[in-house]
């Protein structure tokens, strides 16, 4: 069982995931991050040392969450995992509250503006996601295997565009275009 300190750390981390995804790095102050978890700013600093360190941990864990979801879809859906994942990502995940969005979709713009160390951490974790993705596409055509980067980029970019438009019909057209582009390649 986790200690009280570990439980508090996880509670702060869960709150930070939502706050950073919803408000971005600059839109999340230490006081709001601490208050969202029901702790003081002193407790926040005791656990993370700085807002920058906290963001790095959120980025690491957020990308790892996507990696775990990819693995789950591969294990659950076998050779059809990619189609099922794209349907999930362009449907349910796209329509979820921004605070519950995928880290790659919501935090990548924040990482782009961050320091070299954060970008290096993001890159290291992203390479793990690509490796997991590539392990799961053994049954797909060579074009899909070759384009793992493009496929992930389309999914993430598609959700970003669909979230950005006001008209839900246009958002749906974007989602359908991405789904068709990926699932028709196999």
């Amino acid at each position: 069982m986790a200690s009280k300190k570990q439980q508090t750390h996880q509670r702060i981390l869960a709150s930070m995931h939502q706050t950073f995804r919803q408000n971005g790095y600059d839109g999340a102050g230490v006081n709001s991050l601490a208050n969202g978890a029901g702790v003081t700013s002193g407790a926040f600093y005791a656990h993370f040392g700085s807002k920058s360190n906290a963001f790095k941990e959120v980025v690491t864990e957020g990308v790892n969450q996507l990696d775990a979801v990819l693995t789950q879809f591969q294990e659950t859906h076998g050779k059809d995992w990619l189609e099922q994942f794209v349907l999930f990502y362009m449907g349910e995940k796209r329509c979820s509250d921004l605070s519950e969005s995928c880290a790659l979709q919501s935090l990548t713009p924040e990482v782009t503006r961050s320091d070299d160390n954060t970008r290096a951490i993001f890159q290291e974790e992203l390479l793990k996601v690509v490796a997991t993705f590539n392990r799961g596409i053994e049954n797909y055509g060579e074009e899909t295997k070759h384009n793992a980067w493009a496929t992930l980029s389309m999914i993430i970019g598609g959700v970003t565009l669909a979230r950005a438009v006001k008209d839900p019909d246009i958002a749906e057209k974007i989602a359908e275009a991405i789904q068709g582009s990926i699932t028709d390649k196999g």
Side-chain angles (χ1 to χ4, degrees), residues 11-12 15 19 29-41 44:
R11 190 174 74 244
I12 298 169
S15 177
T19 304
V30 170
N31 286 336
S32 69
L33 292 168
N35 291 338
V39 299
T40 65
S41 56
F44 172 88

Side-chain angles (χ1 to χ4, degrees), residues 159-179:
V159 168
T160 301
L161 284 176
R163 282 184 178 274
V165 297
K166 183 177 184 323
D167 186 333
D169 291 334
I170 295 173
E172 190 61 33
K173 286 179 183 177
I174 293 168
E176 289 171 0
I178 298 298
Q179 288 169 339

Side-chain angles (χ1 to χ4, degrees), residues 128-184:
K128 293 175 189 175
V129 169
V130 170
T132 298
F133 187 92
N134 281 329
R135 277 193 303 274
I137 57 175
E138 294 169 355
N139 297 322
Y140 290 86
E142 284 302 314
E143 186 177 346
T144 301
K145 289 180 185 179
H146 179 71
N147 291 316
W149 286 107
T151 302
L152 284 170
S153 297
M154 271 195 292
I155 296 167
I156 295 157
V159 168
T160 301
L161 284 176
R163 282 184 178 274
V165 297
K166 183 177 184 323
D167 186 333
D169 291 334
I170 295 173
E172 190 61 33
K173 286 179 183 177
I174 293 168
E176 289 171 0
I178 298 298
Q179 288 169 339
S181 180
I182 293 170
T183 59
D184 290 344

